[in-house]
Every structure is written in structure tokens, then in C-alpha cells.
């Protein structure tokens, strides 16, 4: 499948990328974010939320809660997972992850930890920072070609 590459150079640009993607979702997609600490996963989700109509200020890393549920005024749901502390299938089952799939937009930080459990039908986003500066390369796979990202 086609991979789209987008470069951002600030947290604001990453948020704006998230907003553009969020605003063209149907509302039941699963988005798996890959990329280590400080890559901008949470910044991206902040924008994604805004694109769905959720207040971006509500967004924080659900490191301890594991999932945060957000409802947009229009009723759209955003389920924001952080899999950092999920280390086994038992852990994952107890988060209720599988029950959330398809009920709203599900976005997962630290997807590395649940790679074998991700649904085949998903949007995959890998974030890298090859120069160890503010540049972030987003490799997006599974997004429908309709989305204008430029
Ligand atoms: N292009 C960029 N996109 C997103 N964040 C960036 C970018 N450049 C620098 N940053 C910084 O990287 C950090 C990203 O934090 P965060 O979104 O919490 O990452 P993660 O959730 O992947 O750990 C922030 O401190 C932010 O200021
Ligand atoms: Mg985070």
C-alpha cells in the first residue's frame, strides 16, 4: 500500500498535520502511532482531536490511565491509548482495547508494544527524527487517497 511521507518542523506543524487527518476521518478508524519518547505522538493526537471537534486542551498522554475517552460536541468519539505500560496480552485485554475498536477513532501511542494485536485494517504512522532536531518525518500508511495532505 502507498506510504505518504510528511515532514514537520515544529510541534505546531505536527498538530496541524493531526488536524488535517482528523478532519477527514469517517469516525471509526484505528490509528497506530510508532516512534519513541518525544517523537510527537501526543502532539499529533492533540491535532487529531481538534480535527474531530474535540478540545485539544483535553489531550494528555494516558500513560497511567492507559485510555482516555473524549467525546466531541457532535458525538464523535476519540479513544486515546498509551500502550507504554502494556506488556502482555493479559494487560491488553484488561484495557478493553478490543471492545473499543470500530466504536470511534482509536489512536494508540507506543503501538510497538501491541504490534501483534493491531487490526489489519488500520492507519499506521511511524514517526522518526533522523537529525535529532525538531524535524519529524511521518510515514503514513493506510490513509485513503482522498485526503489532501499538502
Ligand atoms: N516537529 C515536531 N513535532 C512534534 N513535537 C516536536 C517537534 N519538534 C520538537 N518537538 C518537541 O518534541 C516533544 C514531543 O512531545 P510529545 O508529543 O509528548 O511526544 P511523545 O508523545 O511521542 O512522547 C515536545 O517537547 C515538542 O516540543
Ligand atoms: Mg505521548
Amino acid at each position: 500500500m502507498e506510504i505518504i511521507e510528511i515532514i514537520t518542523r515544529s510541534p505546531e506543524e505536527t498538530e496541524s498535520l493531526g488536524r488535517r487527518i482528523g478532519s477527514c476521518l469517517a469516525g471509526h478508524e484505528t490509528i497506530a502511532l510508532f516512534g519513541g519518547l518525544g517523537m510527537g505522538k501526543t502532539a499529533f493526537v492533540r491535532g487529531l482531536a481538534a480535527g474531530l471537534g474535540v478540545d485539544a486542551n483535553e489531550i494528555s498522554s494516558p500513560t497511567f490511565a492507559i485510555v482516555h475517552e473524549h467525546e466531541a460536541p457532535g458525538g464523535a468519539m476519540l479513544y486515546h491509548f498509551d500502550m507504554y505500560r502494556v506488556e502482555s496480552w493479559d494487560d491488553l485485554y484488561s484495557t478493553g482495547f478490543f471492545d473499543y475498536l470500530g466504536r470511534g477513532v482509536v489512536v494508540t501511542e507506543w503501538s510497538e508494544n501491541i504490534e501483534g494485536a493491531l487490526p489489519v485494517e488500520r492507519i499506521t504512522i511511524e514517526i522518526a527524527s533522523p537529525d535529532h532536531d525538531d524535524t519529524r518525518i511521518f510515514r503514513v500508511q493506510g490513509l485513503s487517497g482522498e485526503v489532501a495532505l499538502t
Side-chain angles (χ1 to χ4, degrees):
M1 194 186 288
E2 190 194 2
I3 297 180
I4 306 167
E5 261 191 27
I6 301 117
I7 292 174
T8 71
R9 294 191 169 81
S10 66
E12 292 73 25
E13 283 187 25
T14 293
E15 273 198 50
S16 132
L17 172 65
R19 193 159 56 240
R20 292 207 304 278
I21 292 179
S23 62
C24 62
L25 294 175
H28 55 257
E29 290 89 344
T30 298
I31 304 179
L33 301 177
F34 291 80
L37 189 68
M39 278 302 113
K41 301 181 294 296
T42 302
F44 176 86
V45 175
R46 208 166 280 131
L48 191 76
L52 290 165
V54 171
D55 181 357
N57 294 318
E58 282 185 23
I59 302 300
S60 62
S61 251
T63 313
F64 294 99
I66 300 192
V67 58
H68 288 165
E69 306 191 9
H70 305 277
E71 184 173 1
M77 295 303 299
L78 174 64
Y79 301 113
H80 179 196
F81 282 82
D82 186 336
M83 300 304 185
Y84 186 69
R85 287 151 47 87
V86 172
E87 293 175 339
S88 67
W89 282 89
D90 272 357
D91 285 356
L92 184 58
Y93 274 110
S94 57
T95 68
F97 177 67
F98 298 103
D99 302 319
Y100 285 96
L101 295 175
R103 293 178 184 271
V105 173
V106 173
V107 62
T108 59
E109 298 196 33
W110 291 100
S111 305
E112 288 88 343
N113 284 2
I114 61 152
E115 202 161 358
L118 289 168
V120 174
E121 197 174 315
R122 66 175 186 262
I123 297 164
T124 299
I125 302 182
E126 293 174 12
I127 315 170
S129 179
D131 297 330
H132 307 287
D133 57 8
D134 288 354
T135 302
R136 301 287 187 273
I137 302 179
F138 286 74
R139 291 194 184 82
V140 182
Q141 192 169 8
L143 199 58
S144 100
E146 311 296 308
V147 181
L149 288 173
T150 49

